[in-house]
Amino acid sequence: MIAIALGACTQPKEAKMYTNPVIESNFPDPTFLRADDGHFYAYCTQGKLGDIPIYQSDDLISWTYVANAFPDSTARPSLLPQGRLWAPDIMKLNDRYVLTYSQSKWGEEHLNGLGIATSDSPVGPFTDLGKLFTSDEIGVQNSIDPSLFLTDDNRLMLLWGSFSGLYMIELDPATLKVKDGAEKKQVAGNAFEGSHIFKHDGKYYLFASIGACCEGDNSTYRVGVGRSDSPFGPFVDRDGKDMLDNGHLLVISGDDVCRGPGHGSQIVTDANGDTWYLYHGYIKGRSGEGRMMWLDKIQWDEEGWPFVENGNPSHTPTPGPVF
């Protein structure tokens, strides 16, 4: 999704202090939005609480479980029999909340694929509209990790891919299927997965995760970025290297407290004009508890490149977002 902008205030407001992680239980591959009711809702890879658990917050700091996206087992997506629901993405499109998802098994890179579901409420239940495509049908191995975004001229685009190239294709906003005649376009190489696009000061930033996501304390996951004047690329790093050639600028990586940070899917702008990023990571020494959800501020240097303070997740009391 390109952006969640809430407007800036001329007078800064006082920030609430927080300490990471903001969800101290397994919450991998988080995605979120601010709904029409003013609350934030976060969604993640299928876990013990159901098929895509949904949490609610007013400030991105304190979160409460509220629902399961697919509470009716007979209505659960089934594009891959016995597949798990991974790495969803959420957006509001006209009067519908639109949830895209991956369905896959660990190690499966051909029969997996992407599907889409809708609801008139951010807490569901979501009605599955079925598959968009499988990996073999679209000709992109390991077609998981979807992300939706709208261009300035209201074209609905789907971005996806996992270590076999990042691709985008146009969807029909009425049917939420691949638009007739649309062709996929590769925008990044095979170093990346878990991608999303954010527009900032007239440029488009392609954030994506790199490395091993799921090896506990040994995870090497981290987040890199490239940028473009167009939402369709080419996306290049600070040195001008194209992301098609796996160029990227490192935004955040692990340290001795948080291992394997990555796979956020939105950036939100708060009332003070600050930009915030939700992502997952392990607590070193507690990796058996899963990939928890972390929150950090994205800052921008004089050349317009994003970074996180010290290049690592925060893990001491930190001023949070203001809404």
Side-chain angles (χ1 to χ4, degrees):
M1 197 177 293
I2 285 183
I4 306 174
L6 306 178
C9 293
T10 56
Q11 295 297 322
K13 297 181 180 180
E14 185 176 352
K16 176 181 176 181
M17 301 296 288
Y18 77 98
T19 302
N20 271 317
V22 292
I23 293 183
E24 199 169 343
S25 59
N26 193 42
F27 204 83
D29 310 325
T31 181
F32 74 101
L33 87 170
R34 195 177 199 185
D36 292 343
D37 62 9
H39 299 301
F40 291 99
Y41 294 90
Y43 312 71
C44 73
T45 284
Q46 179 182 345
K48 293 181 180 180
L49 292 174
D51 292 339
I52 306 184
I54 304 171
Y55 279 60
Q56 183 189 82
S57 176
D58 293 325
D59 55 13
L60 301 184
I61 296 170
S62 299
W63 293 88
T64 303
Y65 172 78
V66 291
N68 169 16
F70 299 105
D72 181 356
S73 61
T74 65
R76 183 183 189 272
S78 58
L79 68 90
L80 178 64
Q82 300 178 335
R84 292 177 61 82
L85 300 174
W86 290 355
D89 186 71
I90 188 72
M91 75 178 301
K92 179 74 183 298
L93 183 65
N94 300 321
D95 60 348
R96 294 184 290 181
Y97 292 90
V98 178
L99 185 77
T100 51
Y101 59 84
S102 321
Q103 194 162 35
S104 188
K105 302 175 186 177
W106 190 259
E108 173 57 67
E109 297 193 354
H110 297 280
L111 300 178
N112 57 11
L114 305 180
I116 199 160
T118 63
S119 176
D120 59 5
S121 167
V123 298
F126 283 82
T127 299
D128 185 39
L129 303 184
K131 71 177 179 180
L132 291 168
F133 46 76
T134 66
S135 298
D136 282 354
E137 287 171 348
I138 197 69
V140 177
Q141 188 172 344
N142 209 23
S143 282
I144 60 173
D145 294 0
S147 178
L148 292 170
F149 66 94
L150 277 174
T151 65
D152 289 341
D153 56 356
N154 289 317
R155 295 175 66 186
L156 179 62
M157 305 301 300
L158 173 71
L159 175 69
W160 83 96
S162 174
F163 302 132
S164 295
L166 298 181
Y167 290 81
M168 61 174 61
I169 198 166
E170 187 170 359
L171 302 185
D172 184 326
T175 64
L176 297 178
K177 299 297 183 182
V178 174
K179 188 173 181 178
D180 288 345
E183 296 184 1
K184 66 180 185 286
K185 177 183 180 181
Q186 187 172 358
V187 293
N190 60 8
F192 309 106
E193 68 169 11
S195 57
H196 64 101
I197 289 176
F198 179 69
K199 188 178 182 183
H200 177 75
D201 283 351
K203 292 187 179 294
Y204 297 87
Y205 293 80
L206 175 55
F207 288 80
S209 296
I210 310 139
C213 70
C214 310
E215 297 180 5
D217 289 359
N218 297 320
S219 298
T220 59
Y221 226 35
R222 55 204 186 274
V223 177
V225 71
R227 75 180 181 191
S228 175
D229 293 327
S230 164
F232 310 110
F235 296 94
V236 300
D237 66 14
R238 190 194 295 273
D239 297 324
K241 186 176 181 179
D242 200 309
M243 291 186 77
L244 284 167
D245 298 319
N246 295 326
H248 63 275
L249 174 70
L250 192 62
V251 177
I252 188 169
S253 58
D255 59 13
D256 286 338
V257 175
C258 179
R259 307 300 297 166
H263 211 302
S265 66
Q266 277 94 17
I267 294 172
V268 62
T269 303
D270 73 5
N272 289 336
D274 292 324
T275 46
W276 295 86
Y277 188 49
L278 285 170
Y279 58 94
H280 75 226
Y282 294 100
I283 295 178
K284 187 177 180 181
R286 294 171 54 187
S287 59
E289 299 175 45
R291 292 167 286 168
M292 303 177 185
M293 190 165 77
W294 300 61
L295 170 70
D296 272 300
K297 182 163 67 173
I298 296 285
Q299 303 186 61
W300 305 85
D301 68 18
E302 293 180 354
E303 296 179 347
W305 287 100
F307 67 97
V308 169
E309 189 73 26
N310 299 317
N312 306 117
S314 64
H315 38 75
T316 58
T318 302
V322 174
F323 299 104

